[in-house]
Amino acid sequence: MNDPLIYLDNNATTAVAPECIETMLRCLRDCYGNPSSKHGSGETAKVETIRARGQLAALLGASPPEIVFTGSGTEATHQAILGALALRPGKRRIVTSQVEHPSTLLLLKHLEQDGIEVVYLPVDGEGQMDLDAVERAVTADTALVTLMWANNETGVVFPIAETAAMAAAKGVLFHTDAVQAVGKTPIDLRTLPVDFLSLSGHKLHAPKGIGALFVRKGHKIPPLLFGHQERGRRGSTENVPAIAALGTAAELAATGLDGYAAQVGALRERLESGLLAQLPGASINGAGATRLAGTTSLNLGGPEAEFVLDKLDRAGIHASAGAACSATGTEPSHVLLAMGLKPQDALSTIRFSLSRFTTPGEIDHVIRILPALTPAQPAAAA
Ligand code: PLP
């Protein structure tokens, strides 16, 4: 009999929570109206979007009109960055980091072709950002600082509150890609001077194809898709089942937030110490930095990650090498290279990402299996 599946790739995507599936099925069955229609069916669908907007706003400490539902985290980030440039006509500089997600970096590379100057700040060996360096990079010509809240590969958390406050003091807009942070760490936008925040449903147990952008009250940013929906900020008939499921996911996350870091953090510690004890030469990337509770970036110290991941896959354990969206198996991760890892160490790194559904038994199974699947390394030459 096959081993049961152990899913430890939650930074790539999460399992849809049973409650979200229930919400979606109910909406597909009973709320098929168009929320813009004036009749009862439209009203029923609209009520679902209102409820979901409220649930998501509550998780973030936002007010409901500050939430724009989008089709993904990528779309939310694109709208924020392009929106910031529109809000600051004449300013042609954006400050960011070298370790952002490709959904940010690829747009910025594209904008460079249009003459936008983009400053990609380095990180230190732990993957951490120097706040002073961000401050020095902000000039009078800067429209926006955009930094991820937490890194999808290492889990390293950037000093978002401090950076947002610095940007606000300088009158520069601030966006954070919080796709990996929402639902895992407390976020209170009442006290955090962030102008824009992106999130994605499928990272917090809602389905794929739904995201949201927080736009602080007062910022009138243009849509990417024109239409009357979302108060003119995102055209397209609303994906009511997915929006409703994101609302349910937000409420579940809010309920579990207090216990999340302790529960998932303890499992991550157990995984790391269990593996490090058996894998001489292995180390944890970013171990010295503040990290998301559920992410571990394990440098095996030699063996090819792709080889070990393939063996893990056959053993029913699903993990990944760096960012799933860009993993070709041949290119070392830009995040790990920016942290100063040698290409061979980057290519020897496996990411495990846990969720609130991960169990101690699953972690113990990985600790038992992984060392046996990892080729021993020849002793270093004298
Ligand atoms: N930003 C980060 C940090 C991510 O990890 C991801 C997904 O991998 C995204 C953005 C993109 O989100 P989506 O898949 O919803 O477009």
Side-chain angles (χ1 to χ4, degrees), residues 237-259:
T237 302
E238 296 86 342
N239 182 354
V240 177
I243 290 173
L246 176 54
T248 300
E251 188 165 306
L252 289 169
T255 311
L257 207 51
D258 279 350

mmCIF file with all atom_site columns, all heavy atoms in Angstrom, residues 237-259:
data_model
loop_
_atom_site.group_PDB
_atom_site.id
_atom_site.type_symbol
_atom_site.label_atom_id
_atom_site.label_alt_id
_atom_site.label_comp_id
_atom_site.label_asym_id
_atom_site.label_entity_id
_atom_site.label_seq_id
_atom_site.pdbx_PDB_ins_code
_atom_site.Cartn_x
_atom_site.Cartn_y
_atom_site.Cartn_z
_atom_site.occupancy
_atom_site.B_iso_or_equiv
_atom_site.pdbx_formal_charge
_atom_site.auth_seq_id
_atom_site.auth_comp_id
_atom_site.auth_asym_id
_atom_site.auth_atom_id
_atom_site.pdbx_PDB_model_num
ATOM 1   N N   . THR A 1 237 ? -17.316 40.432 -13.581 1.00 0.00 ? 237 THR A N   1
ATOM 2   C CA  . THR A 1 237 ? -18.338 39.917 -12.664 1.00 0.00 ? 237 THR A CA  1
ATOM 3   C C   . THR A 1 237 ? -17.630 39.161 -11.551 1.00 0.00 ? 237 THR A C   1
ATOM 4   O O   . THR A 1 237 ? -16.725 38.358 -11.802 1.00 0.00 ? 237 THR A O   1
ATOM 5   C CB  . THR A 1 237 ? -19.306 38.988 -13.428 1.00 0.00 ? 237 THR A CB  1
ATOM 6   O OG1 . THR A 1 237 ? -19.876 39.750 -14.485 1.00 0.00 ? 237 THR A OG1 1
ATOM 7   C CG2 . THR A 1 237 ? -20.400 38.456 -12.522 1.00 0.00 ? 237 THR A CG2 1
ATOM 8   N N   . GLU A 1 238 ? -18.029 39.429 -10.335 1.00 0.00 ? 238 GLU A N   1
ATOM 9   C CA  . GLU A 1 238 ? -17.328 38.873 -9.179  1.00 0.00 ? 238 GLU A CA  1
ATOM 10  C C   . GLU A 1 238 ? -17.390 37.345 -9.157  1.00 0.00 ? 238 GLU A C   1
ATOM 11  O O   . GLU A 1 238 ? -18.424 36.756 -9.456  1.00 0.00 ? 238 GLU A O   1
ATOM 12  C CB  . GLU A 1 238 ? -17.947 39.407 -7.874  1.00 0.00 ? 238 GLU A CB  1
ATOM 13  C CG  . GLU A 1 238 ? -17.810 40.902 -7.677  1.00 0.00 ? 238 GLU A CG  1
ATOM 14  C CD  . GLU A 1 238 ? -18.943 41.697 -8.350  1.00 0.00 ? 238 GLU A CD  1
ATOM 15  O OE1 . GLU A 1 238 ? -19.636 41.140 -9.229  1.00 0.00 ? 238 GLU A OE1 1
ATOM 16  O OE2 . GLU A 1 238 ? -19.115 42.863 -7.972  1.00 0.00 ? 238 GLU A OE2 1
ATOM 17  N N   . ASN A 1 239 ? -16.278 36.732 -8.753  1.00 0.00 ? 239 ASN A N   1
ATOM 18  C CA  . ASN A 1 239 ? -16.202 35.273 -8.571  1.00 0.00 ? 239 ASN A CA  1
ATOM 19  C C   . ASN A 1 239 ? -16.743 34.981 -7.165  1.00 0.00 ? 239 ASN A C   1
ATOM 20  O O   . ASN A 1 239 ? -15.996 34.808 -6.207  1.00 0.00 ? 239 ASN A O   1
ATOM 21  C CB  . ASN A 1 239 ? -14.738 34.847 -8.725  1.00 0.00 ? 239 ASN A CB  1
ATOM 22  C CG  . ASN A 1 239 ? -14.566 33.355 -8.608  1.00 0.00 ? 239 ASN A CG  1
ATOM 23  O OD1 . ASN A 1 239 ? -15.506 32.625 -8.303  1.00 0.00 ? 239 ASN A OD1 1
ATOM 24  N ND2 . ASN A 1 239 ? -13.348 32.890 -8.848  1.00 0.00 ? 239 ASN A ND2 1
ATOM 25  N N   . VAL A 1 240 ? -18.071 34.958 -7.072  1.00 0.00 ? 240 VAL A N   1
ATOM 26  C CA  . VAL A 1 240 ? -18.699 34.930 -5.744  1.00 0.00 ? 240 VAL A CA  1
ATOM 27  C C   . VAL A 1 240 ? -18.276 33.716 -4.907  1.00 0.00 ? 240 VAL A C   1
ATOM 28  O O   . VAL A 1 240 ? -17.913 33.884 -3.729  1.00 0.00 ? 240 VAL A O   1
ATOM 29  C CB  . VAL A 1 240 ? -20.243 35.025 -5.867  1.00 0.00 ? 240 VAL A CB  1
ATOM 30  C CG1 . VAL A 1 240 ? -20.903 34.917 -4.496  1.00 0.00 ? 240 VAL A CG1 1
ATOM 31  C CG2 . VAL A 1 240 ? -20.628 36.333 -6.544  1.00 0.00 ? 240 VAL A CG2 1
ATOM 32  N N   . PRO A 1 241 ? -18.267 32.487 -5.460  1.00 0.00 ? 241 PRO A N   1
ATOM 33  C CA  . PRO A 1 241 ? -17.870 31.359 -4.598  1.00 0.00 ? 241 PRO A CA  1
ATOM 34  C C   . PRO A 1 241 ? -16.449 31.516 -4.044  1.00 0.00 ? 241 PRO A C   1
ATOM 35  O O   . PRO A 1 241 ? -16.201 31.207 -2.870  1.00 0.00 ? 241 PRO A O   1
ATOM 36  C CB  . PRO A 1 241 ? -17.959 30.145 -5.544  1.00 0.00 ? 241 PRO A CB  1
ATOM 37  C CG  . PRO A 1 241 ? -18.919 30.573 -6.616  1.00 0.00 ? 241 PRO A CG  1
ATOM 38  C CD  . PRO A 1 241 ? -18.685 32.044 -6.804  1.00 0.00 ? 241 PRO A CD  1
ATOM 39  N N   . ALA A 1 242 ? -15.534 32.001 -4.875  1.00 0.00 ? 242 ALA A N   1
ATOM 40  C CA  . ALA A 1 242 ? -14.142 32.140 -4.407  1.00 0.00 ? 242 ALA A CA  1
ATOM 41  C C   . ALA A 1 242 ? -14.013 33.289 -3.410  1.00 0.00 ? 242 ALA A C   1
ATOM 42  O O   . ALA A 1 242 ? -13.283 33.190 -2.417  1.00 0.00 ? 242 ALA A O   1
ATOM 43  C CB  . ALA A 1 242 ? -13.216 32.358 -5.599  1.00 0.00 ? 242 ALA A CB  1
ATOM 44  N N   . ILE A 1 243 ? -14.743 34.381 -3.674  1.00 0.00 ? 243 ILE A N   1
ATOM 45  C CA  . ILE A 1 243 ? -14.707 35.511 -2.731  1.00 0.00 ? 243 ILE A CA  1
ATOM 46  C C   . ILE A 1 243 ? -15.264 35.066 -1.373  1.00 0.00 ? 243 ILE A C   1
ATOM 47  O O   . ILE A 1 243 ? -14.678 35.338 -0.319  1.00 0.00 ? 243 ILE A O   1
ATOM 48  C CB  . ILE A 1 243 ? -15.514 36.702 -3.301  1.00 0.00 ? 243 ILE A CB  1
ATOM 49  C CG1 . ILE A 1 243 ? -14.773 37.315 -4.490  1.00 0.00 ? 243 ILE A CG1 1
ATOM 50  C CG2 . ILE A 1 243 ? -15.809 37.742 -2.221  1.00 0.00 ? 243 ILE A CG2 1
ATOM 51  C CD1 . ILE A 1 243 ? -15.557 38.405 -5.236  1.00 0.00 ? 243 ILE A CD1 1
ATOM 52  N N   . ALA A 1 244 ? -16.385 34.363 -1.427  1.00 0.00 ? 244 ALA A N   1
ATOM 53  C CA  . ALA A 1 244 ? -17.007 33.907 -0.174  1.00 0.00 ? 244 ALA A CA  1
ATOM 54  C C   . ALA A 1 244 ? -16.076 32.958 0.567   1.00 0.00 ? 244 ALA A C   1
ATOM 55  O O   . ALA A 1 244 ? -15.945 33.016 1.801   1.00 0.00 ? 244 ALA A O   1
ATOM 56  C CB  . ALA A 1 244 ? -18.338 33.229 -0.485  1.00 0.00 ? 244 ALA A CB  1
ATOM 57  N N   . ALA A 1 245 ? -15.395 32.081 -0.190  1.00 0.00 ? 245 ALA A N   1
ATOM 58  C CA  . ALA A 1 245 ? -14.470 31.143 0.451   1.00 0.00 ? 245 ALA A CA  1
ATOM 59  C C   . ALA A 1 245 ? -13.279 31.878 1.060   1.00 0.00 ? 245 ALA A C   1
ATOM 60  O O   . ALA A 1 245 ? -12.782 31.497 2.129   1.00 0.00 ? 245 ALA A O   1
ATOM 61  C CB  . ALA A 1 245 ? -13.986 30.113 -0.567  1.00 0.00 ? 245 ALA A CB  1
ATOM 62  N N   . LEU A 1 246 ? -12.833 32.946 0.404   1.00 0.00 ? 246 LEU A N   1
ATOM 63  C CA  . LEU A 1 246 ? -11.733 33.730 0.989   1.00 0.00 ? 246 LEU A CA  1
ATOM 64  C C   . LEU A 1 246 ? -12.195 34.365 2.301   1.00 0.00 ? 246 LEU A C   1
ATOM 65  O O   . LEU A 1 246 ? -11.437 34.433 3.273   1.00 0.00 ? 246 LEU A O   1
ATOM 66  C CB  . LEU A 1 246 ? -11.241 34.797 -0.012  1.00 0.00 ? 246 LEU A CB  1
ATOM 67  C CG  . LEU A 1 246 ? -10.158 35.753 0.483   1.00 0.00 ? 246 LEU A CG  1
ATOM 68  C CD1 . LEU A 1 246 ? -8.940  35.002 1.044   1.00 0.00 ? 246 LEU A CD1 1
ATOM 69  C CD2 . LEU A 1 246 ? -9.696  36.687 -0.641  1.00 0.00 ? 246 LEU A CD2 1
ATOM 70  N N   . GLY A 1 247 ? -13.451 34.805 2.322   1.00 0.00 ? 247 GLY A N   1
ATOM 71  C CA  . GLY A 1 247 ? -13.997 35.344 3.576   1.00 0.00 ? 247 GLY A CA  1
ATOM 72  C C   . GLY A 1 247 ? -13.980 34.295 4.676   1.00 0.00 ? 247 GLY A C   1
ATOM 73  O O   . GLY A 1 247 ? -13.543 34.552 5.802   1.00 0.00 ? 247 GLY A O   1
ATOM 74  N N   . THR A 1 248 ? -14.420 33.098 4.340   1.00 0.00 ? 248 THR A N   1
ATOM 75  C CA  . THR A 1 248 ? -14.427 32.007 5.337   1.00 0.00 ? 248 THR A CA  1
ATOM 76  C C   . THR A 1 248 ? -12.996 31.709 5.791   1.00 0.00 ? 248 THR A C   1
ATOM 77  O O   . THR A 1 248 ? -12.728 31.535 6.985   1.00 0.00 ? 248 THR A O   1
ATOM 78  C CB  . THR A 1 248 ? -15.065 30.737 4.723   1.00 0.00 ? 248 THR A CB  1
ATOM 79  O OG1 . THR A 1 248 ? -16.401 31.047 4.336   1.00 0.00 ? 248 THR A OG1 1
ATOM 80  C CG2 . THR A 1 248 ? -15.076 29.589 5.703   1.00 0.00 ? 248 THR A CG2 1
ATOM 81  N N   . ALA A 1 249 ? -12.067 31.669 4.825   1.00 0.00 ? 249 ALA A N   1
ATOM 82  C CA  . ALA A 1 249 ? -10.663 31.389 5.165   1.00 0.00 ? 249 ALA A CA  1
ATOM 83  C C   . ALA A 1 249 ? -10.108 32.468 6.095   1.00 0.00 ? 249 ALA A C   1
ATOM 84  O O   . ALA A 1 249 ? -9.361  32.176 7.033   1.00 0.00 ? 249 ALA A O   1
ATOM 85  C CB  . ALA A 1 249 ? -9.826  31.311 3.890   1.00 0.00 ? 249 ALA A CB  1
ATOM 86  N N   . ALA A 1 250 ? -10.502 33.722 5.831   1.00 0.00 ? 250 ALA A N   1
ATOM 87  C CA  . ALA A 1 250 ? -10.017 34.824 6.679   1.00 0.00 ? 250 ALA A CA  1
ATOM 88  C C   . ALA A 1 250 ? -10.555 34.671 8.096   1.00 0.00 ? 250 ALA A C   1
ATOM 89  O O   . ALA A 1 250 ? -9.826  34.877 9.078   1.00 0.00 ? 250 ALA A O   1
ATOM 90  C CB  . ALA A 1 250 ? -10.448 36.164 6.076   1.00 0.00 ? 250 ALA A CB  1
ATOM 91  N N   . GLU A 1 251 ? -11.814 34.284 8.204   1.00 0.00 ? 251 GLU A N   1
ATOM 92  C CA  . GLU A 1 251 ? -12.390 34.128 9.549   1.00 0.00 ? 251 GLU A CA  1
ATOM 93  C C   . GLU A 1 251 ? -11.716 32.967 10.289  1.00 0.00 ? 251 GLU A C   1
ATOM 94  O O   . GLU A 1 251 ? -11.391 33.071 11.467  1.00 0.00 ? 251 GLU A O   1
ATOM 95  C CB  . GLU A 1 251 ? -13.897 33.887 9.444   1.00 0.00 ? 251 GLU A CB  1
ATOM 96  C CG  . GLU A 1 251 ? -14.556 33.922 10.810  1.00 0.00 ? 251 GLU A CG  1
ATOM 97  C CD  . GLU A 1 251 ? -16.063 34.048 10.694  1.00 0.00 ? 251 GLU A CD  1
ATOM 98  O OE1 . GLU A 1 251 ? -16.536 34.986 10.026  1.00 0.00 ? 251 GLU A OE1 1
ATOM 99  O OE2 . GLU A 1 251 ? -16.747 33.193 11.279  1.00 0.00 ? 251 GLU A OE2 1
ATOM 100 N N   . LEU A 1 252 ? -11.477 31.878 9.569   1.00 0.00 ? 252 LEU A N   1
ATOM 101 C CA  . LEU A 1 252 ? -10.791 30.732 10.194  1.00 0.00 ? 252 LEU A CA  1
ATOM 102 C C   . LEU A 1 252 ? -9.385  31.137 10.646  1.00 0.00 ? 252 LEU A C   1
ATOM 103 O O   . LEU A 1 252 ? -8.923  30.772 11.725  1.00 0.00 ? 252 LEU A O   1
ATOM 104 C CB  . LEU A 1 252 ? -10.684 29.575 9.200   1.00 0.00 ? 252 LEU A CB  1
ATOM 105 C CG  . LEU A 1 252 ? -11.983 28.848 8.847   1.00 0.00 ? 252 LEU A CG  1
ATOM 106 C CD1 . LEU A 1 252 ? -11.760 27.915 7.663   1.00 0.00 ? 252 LEU A CD1 1
ATOM 107 C CD2 . LEU A 1 252 ? -12.499 28.063 10.050  1.00 0.00 ? 252 LEU A CD2 1
ATOM 108 N N   . ALA A 1 253 ? -8.703  31.893 9.778   1.00 0.00 ? 253 ALA A N   1
ATOM 109 C CA  . ALA A 1 253 ? -7.335  32.317 10.118  1.00 0.00 ? 253 ALA A CA  1
ATOM 110 C C   . ALA A 1 253 ? -7.353  33.217 11.348  1.00 0.00 ? 253 ALA A C   1
ATOM 111 O O   . ALA A 1 253 ? -6.514  33.079 12.243  1.00 0.00 ? 253 ALA A O   1
ATOM 112 C CB  . ALA A 1 253 ? -6.707  33.042 8.935   1.00 0.00 ? 253 ALA A CB  1
ATOM 113 N N   . ALA A 1 254 ? -8.334  34.124 11.385  1.00 0.00 ? 254 ALA A N   1
ATOM 114 C CA  . ALA A 1 254 ? -8.408  35.048 12.534  1.00 0.00 ? 254 ALA A CA  1
ATOM 115 C C   . ALA A 1 254 ? -8.631  34.262 13.818  1.00 0.00 ? 254 ALA A C   1
ATOM 116 O O   . ALA A 1 254 ? -8.018  34.539 14.859  1.00 0.00 ? 254 ALA A O   1
ATOM 117 C CB  . ALA A 1 254 ? -9.537  36.059 12.312  1.00 0.00 ? 254 ALA A CB  1
ATOM 118 N N   . THR A 1 255 ? -9.467  33.237 13.750  1.00 0.00 ? 255 THR A N   1
ATOM 119 C CA  . THR A 1 255 ? -9.762  32.439 14.941  1.00 0.00 ? 255 THR A CA  1
ATOM 120 C C   . THR A 1 255 ? -8.518  31.675 15.394  1.00 0.00 ? 255 THR A C   1
ATOM 121 O O   . THR A 1 255 ? -8.268  31.528 16.592  1.00 0.00 ? 255 THR A O   1
ATOM 122 C CB  . THR A 1 255 ? -10.885 31.407 14.611  1.00 0.00 ? 255 THR A CB  1
ATOM 123 O OG1 . THR A 1 255 ? -11.942 32.108 13.976  1.00 0.00 ? 255 THR A OG1 1
ATOM 124 C CG2 . THR A 1 255 ? -11.393 30.712 15.844  1.00 0.00 ? 255 THR A CG2 1
ATOM 125 N N   . GLY A 1 256 ? -7.721  31.193 14.423  1.00 0.00 ? 256 GLY A N   1
ATOM 126 C CA  . GLY A 1 256 ? -6.585  30.347 14.778  1.00 0.00 ? 256 GLY A CA  1
ATOM 127 C C   . GLY A 1 256 ? -5.283  31.093 14.983  1.00 0.00 ? 256 GLY A C   1
ATOM 128 O O   . GLY A 1 256 ? -4.271  30.505 15.345  1.00 0.00 ? 256 GLY A O   1
ATOM 129 N N   . LEU A 1 257 ? -5.302  32.398 14.743  1.00 0.00 ? 257 LEU A N   1
ATOM 130 C CA  . LEU A 1 257 ? -4.041  33.159 14.694  1.00 0.00 ? 257 LEU A CA  1
ATOM 131 C C   . LEU A 1 257 ? -3.241  33.089 15.993  1.00 0.00 ? 257 LEU A C   1
ATOM 132 O O   . LEU A 1 257 ? -2.013  32.964 15.967  1.00 0.00 ? 257 LEU A O   1
ATOM 133 C CB  . LEU A 1 257 ? -4.350  34.613 14.330  1.00 0.00 ? 257 LEU A CB  1
ATOM 134 C CG  . LEU A 1 257 ? -3.261  35.402 13.633  1.00 0.00 ? 257 LEU A CG  1
ATOM 135 C CD1 . LEU A 1 257 ? -2.724  34.662 12.425  1.00 0.00 ? 257 LEU A CD1 1
ATOM 136 C CD2 . LEU A 1 257 ? -3.813  36.767 13.212  1.00 0.00 ? 257 LEU A CD2 1
ATOM 137 N N   . ASP A 1 258 ? -3.955  33.152 17.138  1.00 0.00 ? 258 ASP A N   1
ATOM 138 C CA  . ASP A 1 258 ? -3.252  33.162 18.424  1.00 0.00 ? 258 ASP A CA  1
ATOM 139 C C   . ASP A 1 258 ? -2.402  31.912 18.608  1.00 0.00 ? 258 ASP A C   1
ATOM 140 O O   . ASP A 1 258 ? -1.285  31.981 19.106  1.00 0.00 ? 258 ASP A O   1
ATOM 141 C CB  . ASP A 1 258 ? -4.264  33.250 19.576  1.00 0.00 ? 258 ASP A CB  1
ATOM 142 C CG  . ASP A 1 258 ? -4.707  34.682 19.786  1.00 0.00 ? 258 ASP A CG  1
ATOM 143 O OD1 . ASP A 1 258 ? -4.071  35.575 19.175  1.00 0.00 ? 258 ASP A OD1 1
ATOM 144 O OD2 . ASP A 1 258 ? -5.691  34.901 20.517  1.00 0.00 ? 258 ASP A OD2 1
ATOM 145 N N   . GLY A 1 259 ? -2.952  30.773 18.179  1.00 0.00 ? 259 GLY A N   1
ATOM 146 C CA  . GLY A 1 259 ? -2.234  29.525 18.413  1.00 0.00 ? 259 GLY A CA  1
ATOM 147 C C   . GLY A 1 259 ? -1.306  29.136 17.282  1.00 0.00 ? 259 GLY A C   1
ATOM 148 O O   . GLY A 1 259 ? -0.473  28.245 17.440  1.00 0.00 ? 259 GLY A O   1
#
